[in-house]
Structure formats: structure tokens, C-alpha cells
Amino acid sequence: MDHETLFTRACRVIPGGVNSPVRAFNAVGGTPVFVSSGKGSRLTLADGREVIDCCCSWGAVILGHADPGVTEAVARAAAAGTTFGIATPGEVEFAERLIARLPGMDRVRVVCSGTEAVMTAVRLARGATGRDLIVKCEGCYHGHSDGLLTKAGSGAMTAGDGAETAGDGLPAGILRHTLTIPYNDADALARVLDAHRGRVAAFVVEPVAGNMGCVPPLPGYLERAAALTRAAGALLICDEVINAYRFRLGLYSHGAGIEPDLVTMGKVIGGGFPLAAVAGRADIMDRLAPVGRVYQAGTLSGNPVAVAAALEVLKRLESDPPYKRLAARAKRVADGIDAAAVKAGVPLRVRRHATVFTPFASDRLPTDLAGARACDTALYARFFHGMLRRGVYLEPSQFELCFLSDAHTDADADAIIAAAEATLQEDC
Ligand SMILES: *Cc1c(COP(=O)(O)O)cnc(C)c1O
């Protein structure tokens, strides 16, 4: 089926034809693609074309599409009943396995999306501190709850009025409780904490920012931010919805020597299903209902099919950690695209951090949102479409991370580089 026809039909019944805005290709133009199936590193599009996938469901797929072990675990779980609204043994095993990899954290609660996880973490921080204000960084995305949709990067940046807010429908009274500062700027954090002394409940941050493209923390930034937050009596919420289990087993924060008070996880840990989690120390987490007075709930939270998939992925990552392979392959791809851009004389530089990367249409690598916004998004759009025509699906926006899975091979890497060489020479 051709994508034009599908998209026309979709637009009649779904706002903008998509169930999540960035899928609509608004940032790169053209008709969005539809996927019929995926296997390993490949997607088969609705028009029958096969492409190499560098989105991997925004990082939610780390073992590759339709992994046989995950597929079997899911089939077995589904055959035993898909949801009960009653606790299941799998949830206990999943929580135990996660907690075992999260030193200093005693409890985890499973929810259905990263948005919910961060919403819950923020509510917990407010409940625990008795304070209302939240500090977040410009260009970091923490899901689409009202209070966190200001200067939110990612799809909100593409869809909204240029990163100031995500647009309409956000009450001023709620946004007043969110203060924003540049990422990678600990002095700005110190100033805002000082100006609102005794009123900030939490500083929420993506340790490796991924929603303005790949922007890793500058040396010392996270350490200093953690110390300042603690000194102000506020809680540090590390939003590791992308980061957790993408760089190592467990949290990026712990690998970097940071101890968040609360952490949110999603994408990889969901095993390709709507599953995310918030974790923290018992004294904070036990404020959640039914123990405490911070309310949070969910009909499908800890869904047995999702938990089965998530458990299978977790076990596989633990028995054979893929992180060295993933980083080596990401390096091969990133270095290859970078070299191709230099050779073609195109101002496009690839920023890689371990297992993830972003081709920035700029000759300077950004350290914050202002730097990311200086990129030539029209050039990125030409690069994206040239790559797609040549069989490589990149993220349909400049302000995202590209992901590879453990199913991507060196041959895939070389095919991506060859496509980039041709695209940069001929289309950019
Ligand atoms: C994707 C993302 C979210 C939101 O997760 P959803 O499952 O899409 O609701 C929150 N925080 C970060 C850092 C993310 O990348």
C-alpha cells in the first residue's frame, strides 16, 4: 500500500494522521512512512520497501525487532491472560531484578509510559519536600504532562512555537511552578535555587540530554548539579527514560558517580511495550499510595504481557551485556557519516555519546538548546530524505537521538555509511 493513500485515510480519522506528533514528518517535510513489520535491524514499509532502522522505536527496541526470545515470552504471557487488574508474580520478579541493579534505591513502581513515570516522580518530590517549584532544563523532554511541557525540546519543540512552550492548553498557574534554565549550566542552577530558596522541590534533568539531539553532560556538570540540588534541600530527579539500560546495566547516573533521589526509566526497560518505572529510596517511595498520601494508579500498570517482554529483555541484557558492541557499531556509523560530510564539504557533524548519536546540521557541536537550535534544519531535512530514499530510516527531526540495536551488524553500519556518502555528495 502506498504511503500517500494511507496518510490521506489516516488524516481523515486521526489528528494529523498520527498518534504521536513527531511521526508526522512536520520537521522534515513530505509524507510520513508507515511500517508493516520489522525484523532485526530492518523495517518493511507499507509500500514493500525495506530500510535499515536507526530509530528503533525511539530507543525502546534494543535487541532488534521481533526478537525470537521476546516474541515467545510475549506469546506465552498473552496465552495466559493479558490483564487482570490484580498483582502477578512477574511484577515482583521484574521489580526485584531492576532494584538489584539500582544501588541505593529500594523501591520501584511500574507505570505505562515515561510521561507517567516523571509525573509521579515530580508529585513524589512535592509530597516529600512540601514544596511546589520544579527546575528543569531547556531542551530536555520529560513527557507531555502540563508542568513539564515548557521549553521541552523534541517533538514539542518541532510542534510548538520554537521551544518556548508546547503550545496551547497549558494553564499559566501550572507553568508558574516550573522554572527553566540552560542545560550544562550549573551556575544557572545555583542562581535559580538561590532566588527561590526553600521553595524548590526538585531539579529534574536528563543526565545525557537526548531530546535536543545528542548533548552529553560537560565534565563536572552533573556532580555539581547534584551537590547544589542537595544543598538546597531539593530532590534530584534523573530522567533516565532514554538513558537507563541504554549505556550500561542500570543507570547512567550511577556510572557517572551521581546518586539521584528519584529516577525514571522507560524505553529500553519496557521491552518494546508500554511500560516505564519510577524508583527511589524507601523513605520517598513509600509516600506513594497505598502506603502514603501521594496518589498514583493505573488499570494496566504492570501489565503481564508487558512485564514478560520487559523481563526477557532484562535477562538477555544481563546475561550478555551488548553495550561494548553497541558503542563500537555506533562509533563506526558516526565516524563514517562524519568523514563523509567532511569529504563532501557539507557542514554536518555527528555527535556520538557511547551507544547513541545525532548528525547535527552544523559545523559546531551544541552543548545546550541554543546551540542545537542554531542547526540548519533544512539541511537536516535533505539529509534525512536522501538517506530514506537510499534505504536508511533516521529520526525525522534534528532534535533527536539515533539508536542502533544489538541486531544491527557491521554490514548494516557500512550500508548506512554508503548511503550517507551518496546523500551528502548528491543531495546536500
Ligand atoms: C520519551 C521520554 C519521555 C516520555 O516517555 P513516553 O513513554 O513517551 O511517555 C520522558 N522523558 C524522556 C527523557 C524521554 O526521552
Side-chain angles (χ1 to χ4, degrees), residues 190-212:
R191 280 195 299 273
V192 80
L193 289 171
D194 194 45
H196 300 274
R197 199 172 309 174
R199 298 180 56 217
V200 175
F203 174 49
V204 52
V205 67
E206 289 178 78
V208 176
N211 287 291
M212 48 182 151

Side-chain angles (χ1 to χ4, degrees), residues 408-428:
H408 284 70
T409 61
D410 284 342
D412 288 328
D414 292 342
I416 296 167
I417 295 165
E421 283 169 350
T423 298
L424 289 160
Q425 288 287 348
E426 294 162 26
D427 298 352
C428 294

Side-chain angles (χ1 to χ4, degrees), residues 30-342:
T31 306
V33 296
F34 290 75
V35 178
S36 316
S37 65
K39 183 69 196 160
S41 61
R42 307 287 170 132
L43 302 175
T44 301
L45 304 182
D47 63 4
R49 273 201 329 133
E50 192 179 278
V51 297
I52 300 173
D53 184 13
C54 296
C55 168
C56 293
S57 192
W58 307 94
V61 170
I62 196 168
L63 298 180
H65 296 291
D67 173 85
V70 175
T71 305
E72 200 203 307
V74 166
R76 213 179 318 119
T82 57
T83 178
F84 307 108
I86 303 171
T88 56
E91 292 165 69
V92 185
E93 187 187 347
F94 182 63
E96 285 172 347
R97 270 188 185 266
L98 268 185
I99 286 298
R101 294 278 172 191
L102 306 178
M105 309 226 149
D106 310 304
R107 309 263 198 274
V108 58
R109 178 157 284 177
V110 166
V111 296
C112 295
S113 69
T115 296
E116 276 181 78
V118 187
M119 230 170 66
T120 301
V122 165
R123 190 173 298 150
L124 268 170
R126 287 176 167 148
T129 59
R131 302 171 176 186
D132 285 342
L133 298 180
I134 298 294
V135 180
K136 76 175 283 289
C137 292
E138 295 159 6
C140 285
Y141 178 65
H142 303 292
H144 56 93
S145 67
D146 287 353
L148 292 164
L149 262 185
T150 179
K151 302 192 178 171
S154 192
M157 181 147 132
T158 303
D161 55 5
E164 296 317 311
T165 70
D168 298 340
L170 305 172
I174 287 177
L175 292 181
R176 256 203 301 282
H177 295 113
T178 307
L179 310 167
T180 60
I181 54 171
Y183 178 74
N184 262 333
D185 186 346
D187 290 336
L189 178 61
R191 280 195 299 273
V192 80
L193 289 171
D194 194 45
H196 300 274
R197 199 172 309 174
R199 298 180 56 217
V200 175
F203 174 49
V204 52
V205 67
E206 289 178 78
V208 176
N211 287 291
M212 48 182 151
C214 180
V215 182
L218 292 171
Y221 170 63
L222 292 174
E223 292 88 329
R224 194 156 165 242
L228 287 167
T229 303
R230 195 137 302 150
L235 301 187
L236 178 64
I237 302 174
C238 285
D239 181 356
E240 297 217 14
V241 168
I242 291 178
N243 292 184
Y245 286 86
R246 173 53 59 180
F247 298 112
R248 61 195 291 276
L249 293 175
L251 303 183
Y252 177 87
S253 303
H254 287 152
I258 306 300
E259 287 185 23
D261 296 293
L262 289 166
V263 65
T264 52
M265 298 165 280
K267 299 195 169 100
V268 171
I269 71 144
F273 276 77
L275 183 153
V278 51
R281 289 193 315 272
D283 62 300
I284 303 172
M285 291 296 290
D286 283 349
R287 290 172 184 275
L288 278 178
V291 195
R293 291 170 44 80
V294 176
Y295 198 70
Q296 183 277 331
T299 302
L300 293 176
S301 291
N303 172 268
V305 183
V307 165
L311 257 177
E312 170 67 16
V313 170
L314 216 53
K315 286 179 189 171
R316 292 269 295 284
L317 294 176
E318 286 175 355
S319 69
D320 180 20
Y323 302 104
K324 286 207 174 87
R325 297 190 290 275
L326 286 172
R329 209 146 287 137
K331 178 170 172 23
R332 189 175 177 126
V333 170
D335 289 355
I337 298 175
D338 208 64
V342 170

